[in-house]
Amino acid sequence: MKAADLIQGISTIDSYKRYGKVVKAAGLLIESRGPNASVGDLCYIHTGDTGNVIKAEVVGFYEENLLLMPYTEVRNIAAGSLVEATRKPLQIKAGQELIGSVLDGIGNPLDKSELPRGLNSISAENEPPNPMDRPRIKEPISLGIRSIDSLLTVGKGQRVGIFAGSGVGKSTMLGMVARNSTADLNVIALIGERGREVMDFIERDLGEEGLKRSIVIAATSDQPALMRIKGAETATAIAEYFRDMGKNVMLMMDSVTRVAMAQREIGLAAGEPPTTKGYTPSVFAKLPKLLERSGTSSKGTITAFYTVLVDGDDMNEPIADAVRGILDGHFVLDRSLANKGQFPAVNVLKSISRVMNDIVPETQRAAADKVRELLSSYYESEDLINIGAYKRGSSKAVDQAIHAFPSIISFLKQHVHEDSTFDDSVSRLLAEWGDET
């Protein structure tokens, strides 16, 4: 760094420290009289213990007092505890040295080790790219999952929702994508997961090879709501950092529903009214700001997968409906298919990739449409077929569907550790259902 830059940096340092005092603590919120700070600023609460400082963020105001929400548990905070303003939002560290690491919601190593040297400070909360700076999606990306690569092709920079109830295989499917995709690296956010599931995902679903090309951010369900929100923002910011370096990044967030629940907790604590099924207005303002940050830019791409938990497999509940309207496609994991032993349990007829038609040749599109048509014909008559009431010859379309159904199911099924390249998947699709057959 040049001497002039150092002098300029020193001249802009604020030499004053601004303090306030805690006057109230109730539930998730801490109320402080002073210091002078803005919404989103980071503050330090000095608890009185030697060197013990709690990080908190300004989330609102009540009359002339600050409303603070800590990143950690509210312990050892007493009336009169000093609150120090930093006059800036939370900064996190990012860099190539983080690949292979597991971090907490604000970017610190989860194993309590030191961060590597040489990292760059970045803001956790950024604005989405200007729409005019987003190139169109023109190139497919291989995910290594046959049913998706062939029938629901995803493009570089596309944002997709994975909709499913609990226990249908979302995490396992994300692990397959992380191991098999052709992205330069993965950024994986585990938001609101059970503590047990973090190691399960890393060791079982992601595996050693997957972790070598991934950065994992984990904010478990026992963490405060603000830490879960920051986990999602930190993961997105790290993905943006690598995108700006010209890389094709795979961002996976499990799950965006728990991010919405955390924002609901914050909104209710700050006094917002519950509106749609208990969700506050800030939830529906937060979702597009977070989800729109991924995608294409003039430098690189972030291909993003966001899992959405649907209560009782209701695909029209408020969060699912809002997310589906923001993203560039949705994959529905069907419990009935999972119960039949089909994995991945992707319901091809209920799923869509909004950019597929722009990035695949006509031959693949026609073959994919033919598979959907055969599946649709079979499922419409499935009850009659199962009870033996359907007579062959009654419908040519149904006869063709019955004949093709075993081959289609065999094509859609894929073992967790079976890798299928994009070219292999499309070649098999065309060989079985292309025009030449």
Side-chain angles (χ1 to χ4, degrees), residues 133-208:
D133 294 333
R134 288 186 184 267
R136 291 186 62 198
I137 299 169
K138 298 179 180 179
E139 185 180 352
I141 185 170
S142 174
L143 303 180
I145 298 178
R146 189 163 47 244
S147 57
I148 295 176
D149 283 345
S150 58
L151 303 175
L152 300 162
T153 308
V154 173
K156 288 182 180 178
Q158 186 174 352
R159 302 160 304 138
V160 181
I162 300 176
F163 293 72
S166 57
V168 187
K170 298 183 301 298
S171 298
T172 306
M173 184 172 165
L174 290 182
M176 287 182 70
V177 173
R179 292 193 307 272
N180 301 334
S181 80
T182 56
D184 295 326
L185 79 154
N186 307 304
V187 179
I188 304 168
L190 305 177
I191 310 299
E193 293 279 7
R194 305 173 187 90
R196 171 188 62 80
E197 291 178 329
V198 174
M199 284 303 293
D200 278 355
F201 178 83
I202 292 171
E203 294 186 354
R204 182 193 62 200
D205 299 327
L206 189 58
E208 185 178 348

Side-chain angles (χ1 to χ4, degrees), residues 94 103 158 205 257 279 281:
L103 311 174
Q158 186 174 352
D205 299 327
T257 304
Y279 288 100

Side-chain angles (χ1 to χ4, degrees), residues 310-330:
V310 287
D311 294 333
D313 296 328
D314 176 15
M315 300 297 168
N316 295 314
E317 60 96 24
I319 300 304
D321 208 37
V323 171
R324 189 166 49 238
I326 297 168
L327 299 180
D328 308 316
H330 55 270

